[in-house]
Amino acid sequence: MLDVSNTMDSSTTATPALHSATYLDALNPTQRLAVEAVDGPVLVLAGAGTGKTRVLTTRLVHILASGRAKPWQLLAVTFTNKAAREMRERVALTLGTSVDGWWVGTFHAAGARMLRQHAEHLGLKPSFTILDADDQQRLLKQLTEARGLDAKKLPPRLFMGIIQRWKDRGLTPDQVSTAEGADAADGQALPLYRDYQERLLQVNAVDFGDLLLHALKLFQQQPDILARYQQQFRYLLVDEYQDTNVAQYLWLRALAQGHRNLCCVGDDDQSIYSWRGAEIENILRFEHDFPGAQIVRLECNYRSTAHILAAASALIAHNKGRLGKTLWTPRDGGEPVTVQAAWDGADEARIVCEQADALRRKGQQLNTMAVLVRAGFQTREFEERLITVGIPYRIVGGARFYERQEIRDAIAYFRIVAQPDDDLAFERIVNVPKRGLGPASLRSIHILARARNLSLTQAARQLIETDELKPQPRNTIRRLLADFDRWRGQLDHLPHADLARLLLDESGYTQMWRADRSPEAPGRLENLRELVVAMAEFDSLGGFLEHVSLVMDNDEAAGEDKITLMTLHAAKGLEFDTVFLPGWEEGIFPNMRALEEGGAKSLEEERRLAYVGLTRARARAIISHAASRMVYGMWQPAMPSRFIGELPPANVAHAAAPTAARHDGGWERSGAFGPTRRWGEAARLQPKVIEGEAVQIPDIPPAAGVAAGERVFHQKFGYGRVQAVNGDRLEIEFDKAGRKTVIQSFVEPA
């Protein structure tokens, strides 16, 4: 039998007592029902903003205060350390006691605690190491090399993703089917999975997936240990149940077979993480898995206005795979959800930033506003616009656009073409993608550069003419330098955006990410395409690189009031007074790649993501879509998202669509978006969609009457004063961007 002393902390043997049930007074009737329904399986369907965390923590307090269980007889699990910390803090505050040593934490923390106590049954020592992602990849790299596998065709990151998905499904190497094993990574993944697990045991280590996989194995092989945990945990509480994967589901189900007092809190309408293993079916089949289960729906929302909730509820009602609930609020109606059109991405960014600035002038703080995008590449235009107009911002859940790894790599290539002696750029990309250049070769280049006071490029040119390097690295460096020279020679003949696309392809950089099977790789390719689009807006490569330097210099002052930019996935669990939801267009949202890979099931998840976006807003939700987007260097008409058509008209206000109007000898945009803006040169002779009809926008003549000394406005660089006029080129001293040469049709009088 299991020694009880091994499963509890001796300092927590006393049960805190509350003299009255005052902790129940703050609950509404439905919340109170969810708290007091403590016996038997219970599923609490907690809609967005309905007090889910309060219900979960109050339920835990109620079980203890009513004497139904001791602290060590409760197991409460959630997904993130932040959520677990919040749960512990709320319980400790209510009970007035420490919760140290209680079984309140993340799934992985609970799994690790079990494994530490019973490691010897699994061939491990209690002191086992938990590997992080870098350690995992390094170990898999060693194993792939030992098997003689081509790391370019089958990179370690690919195997790491496959193995993690198997572990998320609770599958050990012996449980993966022969057919599935044959299909995965040309049949190499399953043998490598076996090698990997064996190697982990040899070095007394586990990865995060093992924390629950090994716990399941422990339960299967040691039924007396499982029985003891089933007896110990009289009550189980689970947060965010809709995000559980198969392994977590099996682990919970095994533990719940004892007392059957399992309470799962979640929202099937907010299940948005299938790409990382979450199974919405876990919550949808709860009643089937636990016959006689009680379902409690929390539908009273304390966050959003009635208009926002009605719009979100009507939208999500189009999903078939849901248990069903309708959010409502005792608050007044508030503002309808706004749907507004823009000409293109830059115009959309301008509109959103102007609206945010207008709200700030009315007294709303920037940190109560957020721009929530479907894909990371969408932040680029917003970042640049915010910098131009001087609105501070923060990126949550990711790096700023120009700080992302793939963007920094690409820009390093561009810098070395524009400036051969840029040592930092040379160092960054000389072996990216992998070219077989080892530390010894690179060290030789550095030694020569320091000894002769040369740039690394100059040193490399001299070194390849000697026998200092071995033939293979010498030839590799010679080919790379020849590539640099060829690309540099094309600067005067190819548009710089076309050259950038050619360079990224010929260098093998885009192919490196195409071959990468990690979940992040498609997003990185999207970012690279967006980078090339951004370059086309500048008249030279040098001008673009100077612009990037200004963008990268954006101040990150701590504590400053800032608007938040983030993806919809990262926004779950957060809330803001005003939420901007740009890019609601077919192909972007719903995301075309997701639909191609997952069909109708993915469409429902995309709709749940839209629902999450809307329900982040407390007072104001503003959806926008563009009439056209630059895709692969070409303007393409864009259709509004099908989700816009699913919003109820009674709860939506449509801003007037932009129209084209002839004025002062030139075509301008006008509509419901404030001051008109002249079309920039990049938009000339490009098809646009105006009020549902594709039209051809005429060529724009150069702006007339611009003279030295005049104040002007530029979409990218902001306000400035004209210093000199040379035909259709203007020398302008911009307030923030400094002195620039721009095309006249890009500016308008300030």
Side-chain angles (χ1 to χ4, degrees):
M1 293 292 282
L2 187 68
D3 185 355
V4 177
S5 63
N6 288 333
T7 62
M8 63 183 181
D9 189 310
S10 59
S11 66
T12 61
T13 56
T15 303
L18 296 182
H19 298 296
S20 64
T22 55
Y23 56 87
L24 297 173
D25 294 345
L27 304 176
N28 67 36
T30 312
Q31 290 175 333
R32 184 157 182 162
L33 173 62
V35 166
E36 294 183 319
V38 292
D39 297 321
V42 178
L43 176 62
V44 179
L45 287 177
T50 58
K52 166 182 68 70
T53 305
R54 171 181 290 180
V55 166
L56 194 65
T57 54
T58 306
R59 181 184 174 93
L60 191 153
V61 168
H62 180 65
I63 291 170
L64 292 173
S66 60
R68 287 178 168 84
K70 303 295 184 183
W72 64 87
Q73 295 172 322
L74 283 167
L75 173 66
V77 288
T78 187
F79 282 84
T80 66
N81 289 319
K82 178 183 176 183
R85 184 169 57 252
E86 181 181 2
M87 191 188 306
R88 288 194 297 268
E89 288 173 353
R90 288 200 187 193
V91 172
L93 182 64
T94 305
L95 294 175
T97 186
S98 171
V99 297
D100 291 344
W102 295 18
W103 287 81
V104 178
T106 64
F107 277 96
H108 290 108
R113 186 170 173 181
M114 289 180 176
L115 293 187
R116 297 279 184 206
Q117 293 171 0
H118 312 291
E120 68 280 359
H121 293 288
L122 298 162
L124 292 165
K125 298 176 183 177
S127 60
F128 61 78
T129 300
I130 302 175
L131 302 187
D132 60 19
D134 288 340
D135 291 331
Q136 288 177 264
Q137 187 155 337
R138 188 159 46 249
L139 178 54
L140 283 167
K141 181 181 179 182
Q142 296 171 3
L143 296 172
T144 55
E145 290 174 350
R147 283 188 168 268
L149 300 178
D150 185 348
K152 292 183 178 179
K153 183 180 178 183
L154 299 170
R157 189 184 296 269
L158 165 64
F159 291 111
M160 191 163 71
I162 294 172
I163 290 171
Q164 188 57 55
R165 286 193 292 274
W166 279 334
K167 291 186 177 185
D168 286 344
R169 290 163 55 197
L171 299 176
T172 64
D174 294 335
Q175 293 171 316
V176 177
S177 70
T178 303
E180 186 173 352
D183 288 340
D186 298 335
Q188 298 295 331
L190 185 53
L192 196 71
Y193 185 16
R194 292 193 180 94
D195 294 350
Y196 177 65
Q197 293 302 98
E198 290 172 3
R199 183 61 177 156
L200 286 176
L201 284 177
Q202 291 170 4
V203 298
N204 193 40
V206 300
D207 61 24
F208 273 89
D210 285 327
L211 295 176
L212 289 180
L213 187 69
H214 282 335
L216 286 173
K217 187 175 180 181
L218 180 71
F219 291 167
Q220 293 163 0
Q221 296 181 351
Q222 305 292 330
D224 59 324
I225 293 178
L226 172 59
R228 187 58 184 175
Y229 277 118
Q230 289 174 338
Q231 179 184 357
Q232 177 187 341
F233 295 129
R234 295 187 179 182
Y235 293 92
L236 289 83
L237 297 88
V238 186
D239 191 15
E240 303 286 9
Y241 188 61
Q242 78 281 349
D243 293 335
T244 53
N245 60 36
V246 174
Q248 291 160 341
Y249 161 78
L250 293 173
W251 182 77
L252 286 167
R253 193 177 68 173
L255 291 172
Q257 297 307 312
H259 295 281
R260 295 188 77 248
N261 294 327
L262 170 67
C263 175
C264 293
V265 181
D267 185 0
D268 51 328
D269 292 333
Q270 295 188 73
S271 179
I272 58 174
Y273 297 123
S274 65
W275 49 275
R276 68 184 190 196
E279 291 282 351
I280 190 174
E281 288 78 11
N282 292 349
I283 193 169
L284 295 180
R285 65 170 180 243
F286 188 87
E287 289 181 280
H288 176 269
D289 290 337
F290 301 97
Q294 183 173 353
I295 309 296
V296 180
R297 287 173 169 81
L298 302 184
E299 299 173 307
C300 180
N301 177 284
Y302 294 95
R303 175 189 301 160
S304 306
T305 65
H307 276 305
I308 292 172
L309 294 181
S313 294
L315 174 68
I316 200 63
H318 286 79
N319 273 7
K320 296 180 180 178
R322 62 190 298 259
L323 297 172
K325 62 184 175 306
T326 303
L327 298 183
W328 62 277
T329 179
R331 297 174 58 186
D332 294 336
E335 299 179 15
V337 173
T338 299
V339 175
Q340 58 192 13
W343 283 93
D344 53 26
D347 191 42
E348 182 180 51
R350 177 188 64 81
I351 293 167
V352 168
C353 292
E354 286 180 354
Q355 290 171 327
D357 196 40
L359 290 170
R360 177 171 63 167
R361 289 196 301 271
K362 291 179 180 179
Q364 184 176 336
Q365 290 188 314
L366 289 174
N367 59 23
T368 66
M369 309 179 206
V371 180
L372 307 183
V373 298
R374 173 59 181 87
F377 76 88
Q378 292 175 258
T379 68
R380 196 268 306 174
E381 287 176 311
F382 290 96
E383 289 185 60
E384 295 194 350
R385 183 67 189 178
L386 289 166
I387 290 171
T388 298
V389 299
I391 297 178
Y393 71 94
R394 66 171 61 86
I395 297 285
V396 174
R400 295 166 182 258
F401 183 82
Y402 288 107
E403 293 173 353
R404 292 166 183 163
Q405 174 191 340
E406 65 278 9
I407 301 302
R408 283 183 176 272
D409 288 345
I411 288 174
Y413 270 106
F414 305 155
R415 282 166 48 192
I416 201 68
V417 167
Q419 175 48 263
D421 295 329
D422 189 328
D423 283 356
L424 293 177
F426 183 90
E427 282 184 298
R428 185 176 184 95
I429 51 81
V430 67
N431 206 31
V432 178
K434 296 292 185 183
R435 297 185 171 94
L437 296 175
S441 301
L442 299 179
R443 186 163 53 249
S444 297
I445 297 175
H446 275 276
I447 290 171
L448 182 62
R450 286 196 299 270
R452 299 186 180 181
N453 196 26
L454 301 172
S455 70
L456 294 179
T457 300
Q458 292 170 334
R461 289 191 189 281
Q462 293 190 14
L463 208 55
I464 61 175
E465 302 304 326
T466 73
D467 294 324
E468 297 287 341
L469 299 177
K470 293 181 179 179
Q472 192 226 337
R474 185 166 66 243
N475 291 333
T476 296
I477 294 173
R478 180 178 284 112
R479 286 193 299 269
L480 181 61
L481 293 175
D483 286 340
F484 288 152
D485 291 340
R486 186 179 73 258
W487 295 326
R488 198 171 295 120
Q490 293 174 303
L491 266 175
D492 295 331
H493 309 292
L494 272 180
H496 57 283
D498 292 343
L499 176 59
R501 191 178 296 108
L502 178 73
L503 183 158
L504 293 173
D505 286 342
E506 290 187 350
S507 67
Y509 191 75
T510 50
Q511 181 55 39
M512 178 186 80
W513 288 116
R514 288 192 190 103
D516 192 304
R517 308 292 181 85
S518 69
E520 299 85 10
R524 295 188 190 277
L525 289 168
E526 287 177 345
N527 291 338
L528 290 172
R529 288 192 285 267
E530 179 66 16
L531 176 66
V532 174
V533 168
M535 295 180 69
E537 300 174 11
F538 295 83
D539 56 4
S540 69
L541 178 60
F544 170 72
L545 292 175
E546 184 176 342
H547 166 74
V548 171
S549 298
L550 292 171
V551 171
M552 297 284 279
D553 194 41
N554 184 40
D555 187 25
E556 265 282 15
E560 187 178 3
D561 186 30
K562 300 176 183 179
I563 192 171
T564 298
L565 271 65
M566 63 198 312
T567 64
L568 286 160
H569 283 103
K572 186 170 176 292
L574 303 178
E575 57 185 76
F576 304 89
D577 287 343
T578 298
V579 168
F580 297 98
L581 298 163
W584 280 42
E585 300 145 30
E586 289 295 305
I588 293 181
F589 194 37
N591 182 269
M592 183 57 66
R593 176 162 44 88
L595 298 186
E596 289 174 349
E597 293 175 358
K601 186 175 180 180
S602 288
L603 175 60
E604 295 216 341
E605 181 156 332
E606 291 288 297
R607 189 176 284 112
R608 291 194 293 271
L609 199 54
Y611 172 85
V612 166
L614 282 170
T615 54
R616 298 313 93 195
R618 288 190 285 252
R620 190 176 296 105
I622 302 172
I623 296 168
S624 57
H625 61 95
S628 62
R629 292 276 179 188
M630 181 76 81
V631 181
Y632 301 115
M634 298 290 294
W635 285 102
Q636 293 185 10
M639 293 182 62
S641 169
R642 69 192 74 187
F643 300 151
I644 292 176
E646 294 172 357
L647 298 173
N651 305 107
V652 174
H654 287 269
T659 57
R662 191 78 176 177
H663 180 66
D664 288 341
W667 284 79
E668 294 186 344
R669 292 175 287 184
S670 61
F673 310 123
T676 58
R677 298 288 191 223
R678 185 180 298 276
W679 276 100
E681 174 128 314
R684 293 187 182 187
L685 293 176
Q686 297 296 345
K688 301 291 173 185
V689 176
I690 297 178
E691 296 180 348
E693 180 180 358
V695 299
Q696 197 79 7
I697 299 296
D699 187 32
I700 310 164
V706 178
E710 287 190 21
R711 289 280 291 173
V712 294
F713 178 84
H714 187 279
Q715 287 284 328
K716 287 292 178 187
F717 303 126
Y719 291 96
R721 190 171 299 280
V722 179
Q723 303 298 310
V725 179
N726 182 15
D728 67 344
R729 306 260 170 160
L730 305 177
E731 290 285 335
I732 302 175
E733 186 71 31
F734 288 100
D735 296 349
K736 294 188 177 181
R739 199 178 188 89
K740 301 285 184 185
T741 300
V742 302
I743 297 172
Q744 193 168 230
S745 58
F746 272 81
V747 304
E748 61 180 281

